[in-house]
Amino acid sequence: MKKEIEIIVPTDWSAISLKTYMKLQRDLKNYEDTPEAYEPTLLYHICGITPDIMSSLDSDTLNSIRKDLTSYMAKTEEYELQRRVTIGDVEYGFEPNISQMAYGAYLDISKYESIQLDENWTDILSILYRPIVKKSGALYEIEKYNGVEPWESDKWLSMGMDFHFGSFFFFSRLSQDLLNSIQKSTESQTGIPHNIKSILVKSGKVMHQFQHSQKTTS
């Protein structure tokens, strides 16, 4: 007697939550010295296919699943930053002006050695995305920063990876823009600003975080 199995294959990153993605990354790291474990681990976390089910699938079905996954899994940098998102009954807005971010928020972000899609990522999001208290068209004002409680960060775990990749790679692009701007500025100016030390201390650490994150995220 044949047993019918329903397999749901996500067609884009929006169907995969951060919680699932982080579990996948942890297991892939555990099996990084075992290349043959890559595909079973991927299929288990993304499609719910256990090793015993995988071994029972015919080659055409497996190839079809592989084709569906490879059609989008490498396209992580195509997503844009979502400045406003709604979770439950609350609408959150991304920090409207990074250059004028509250110093306490900057300090809390800068305590991380790098910015990556890891266990610290949800805390960083809770610093940058805060409840919207006033809005007019595309403009909005967010709640003042008063620190982040541990339980506040859990809400980001259910958000799709389209949102998370958009936020993460926004930082990568910002990092590159900052580096290019500084290089052009130093080439065209002979004078050195009087507050250069404080500028480098503040900008240098953040840029180091962004550069490190680019090297460690594929």
Side-chain angles (χ1 to χ4, degrees), residues 21 25 73-74 76-77 165 168-169 213-218:
Y21 178 82
Q25 293 303 312
M73 295 206 78
T76 56
E77 295 190 49
F165 284 133
F168 177 78
F169 284 109
S213 68
Q214 288 176 298
K215 292 176 183 177
T216 54
T217 301
S218 59

Side-chain angles (χ1 to χ4, degrees), residues 77-90:
E77 295 190 49
E78 294 184 358
Y79 296 100
E80 298 294 326
L81 174 71
Q82 298 179 38
R83 294 188 174 276
R84 290 157 63 164
V85 294
T86 300
I87 303 177
D89 298 326
V90 182

